[in-house]
């Protein structure tokens, strides 16, 4: 179990580097956030294809064996929905990082969804939220508000557009989580990931083309392309493999708590590398928000299968 927990913590750390590297790209080039989201998916797709094929070979002859040709329309609908959510999440999260900071954007985008999932399970699935879940939601709202106040103090302005994008990313990720957890077609992990990422890339392609997003590629130097490749390979592919390898030997409740380290890793890296300062209010807000996530994760553990994190 310790080995699995370490792998999940490593995955959280690798995912945390996404916003840091993205911030370097946004400040050093004219690359748009939505373009980076598209490039990230394109770079990752070949790796997920290889992982999917290996997964299908390993499952050959078992009850879980399924190929792309075996997927029915009923099975493809939720997978396509996951791709749609992934496309919106990539754009909104990276844009939030660009407009605000890596730390505050990630804290809002990733800490709010677990709490929102616990609340939205009530109207969507008939699960009545308990008092603890409601209190976790209130705490999460308070923590988010404290982060916004801290950002205003440290930046000297209300970066409303970036905050709204981070909130949009949180809502979109909530939809992704609910769809993945409760409406999954039961396809294997990497088959699901490949279809999800392929769908997201196909959705983002015309958007990037129509908005002139490819024009910013001319400002990229070799070192910037290496950063793009890093985001597509290390946090996306390697992080994903570490997470699911760790999940095999780690209880769902513990893994959900360990994953909450990601936004804290981002805030720490943003402070050390980018010089982003949360301030006393922001640190308190981050701790409150993280505690709310842990409480919400524990209260919802065991009610439904765990979901795949594709950050």
């Amino acid at each position: 179990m310790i080995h699995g927990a370490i792998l999940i913590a490593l995955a959280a750390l690798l995912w945390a580097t996404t916003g840091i590297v993205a911030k370097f790209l946004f400040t050093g080039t004219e690359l748009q956030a939505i373009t980076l989201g598209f490039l990230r998916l394109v770079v990752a797709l070949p790796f997920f294809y290889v992982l999917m094929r290996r997964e299908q070979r390993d499952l050959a002859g078992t009850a879980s064996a399924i190929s792309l040709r075996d997927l029915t329309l009923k099975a493809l609908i939720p997978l396509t929905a996951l791709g749609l959510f992934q496309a919106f999440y990539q754009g909104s999260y990276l844009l939030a990082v660009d407009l605000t900071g890596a730390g505050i954007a990630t804290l809002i985008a990733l800490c709010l969804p677990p709490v929102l999932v616990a609340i939205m399970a009530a109207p969507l699935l008939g699960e009545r939220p308990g008092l603890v879940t409601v209190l976790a939601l209130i705490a999460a709202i308070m923590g988010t508000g404290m982060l916004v106040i801290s950002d205003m103090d440290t930046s000297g302005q209300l970066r409303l557009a970036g905050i709204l994008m981070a909130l949009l990313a949180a809502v979109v990720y909530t939809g992704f989580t609910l769809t993945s957890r409760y409406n999954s077609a039961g396809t294997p992990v990497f088959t699901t990931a490949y279809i999800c990422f392929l769908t997201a890339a196909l959705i983002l392609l015309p958007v990037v083309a129509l908005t002139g997003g490819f024009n910013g590629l001319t400002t990229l130097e070799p070192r910037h392309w290496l950063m793009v490749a890093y985001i597509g390979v290390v946090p996306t592919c390697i992080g994903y493999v570490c997470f699911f390898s760790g999940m095999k030997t780690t209880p769902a409740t513990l893994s959900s708590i360990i994953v909450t380290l990601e936004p804290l890793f981002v805030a720490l890296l943003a402070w050390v590398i980018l010089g982003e300062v949360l301030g006393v209010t922001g640190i308190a807000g981050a701790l409150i928000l993280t505690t709310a996530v842990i409480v919400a994760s524990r209260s919802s553990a065991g009610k439904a299968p765990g979901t795949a994190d594709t950050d």
Side-chain angles (χ1 to χ4, degrees):
M1 187 175 72
I2 295 178
H3 178 69
I6 292 174
L7 284 175
I8 294 175
L10 176 60
L13 178 59
L14 294 179
W15 289 333
T17 61
T18 301
I20 306 300
V21 178
K23 194 66 176 180
F24 276 115
L25 283 168
F26 295 146
T27 55
T29 71
E30 296 179 9
L31 186 66
Q32 295 183 16
I34 194 170
T35 308
L36 177 57
F38 171 73
L39 292 176
R40 177 186 189 182
L41 296 171
V42 170
V43 172
L45 273 174
F47 293 89
F48 278 108
Y49 179 77
V50 172
L51 291 171
M52 177 187 69
R53 294 302 301 269
R54 188 182 69 174
E55 177 182 65
Q56 291 176 351
R57 287 197 301 269
D58 293 341
L59 295 175
T62 68
S64 301
I66 187 172
S67 67
L68 294 179
R69 289 173 295 187
D70 296 330
L71 293 174
T72 63
L73 179 60
K74 183 179 179 180
L76 281 172
I77 290 177
L79 294 177
T80 303
L82 288 176
L84 179 63
F85 282 125
Q86 184 65 217
F88 274 94
Y89 176 76
Q90 291 294 329
S92 56
Y93 167 66
L94 291 173
L95 186 56
V97 171
D98 187 18
L99 294 175
T100 56
I104 185 173
T106 306
L107 282 165
I108 294 175
L110 292 185
C111 284
L112 279 180
V115 183
L116 294 177
V117 166
I119 293 296
M120 293 185 66
L124 294 178
L125 305 167
E127 297 178 3
R128 183 178 178 180
L131 177 61
V132 173
T133 301
V134 174
L135 292 177
L137 175 64
I138 296 174
I141 294 174
M142 289 176 54
T144 302
M146 293 172 71
L147 284 172
V148 173
I149 293 173
S150 175
D151 184 60
M152 290 174 59
D153 290 339
T154 55
S155 67
Q157 59 181 323
L158 174 60
R159 297 186 286 189
L160 183 60
I163 299 297
L164 291 177
M165 281 296 104
L167 290 172
L168 175 61
V171 172
V172 171
Y173 197 79
T174 300
F176 178 91
T177 303
L178 286 170
T179 303
S180 176
R181 181 177 295 178
Y182 301 108
N183 298 313
S184 173
T187 51
V189 169
F190 292 114
T191 301
T192 299
Y194 177 75
I195 297 174
C196 171
F197 277 41
L198 176 61
T199 303
L202 291 175
I203 292 173
L204 289 180
L205 176 59
V207 177
V208 174
L210 291 174
T211 57
F214 289 122
N215 296 335
L217 298 182
T218 58
T219 64
L220 298 185
E221 300 176 1
R223 60 190 178 92
H224 297 132
W225 282 109
L226 288 175
M227 292 182 188
V228 172
Y230 172 88
I231 291 176
V233 175
V234 179
T236 311
C237 299
I238 298 178
Y240 203 84
V241 172
C242 288
F243 176 75
F244 279 100
S245 297
M247 281 287 291
K248 294 178 181 179
T249 57
T250 307
T253 302
L254 178 59
S255 65
S256 65
I257 293 175
I258 296 174
V259 166
T260 61
L261 291 173
E262 180 187 352
L264 296 181
F265 280 149
V266 175
L268 179 61
L269 291 174
W271 172 54
V272 174
I273 299 175
L274 301 176
E276 296 181 5
V277 181
L278 286 177
V280 176
T281 303
I283 293 174
L287 292 176
I288 292 174
L289 192 53
T290 303
T291 302
V293 172
I294 295 174
V295 171
S297 298
R298 289 180 62 87
S299 66
S300 62
K303 292 184 179 179
T307 118
D309 191 329
T310 56
D311 180 45

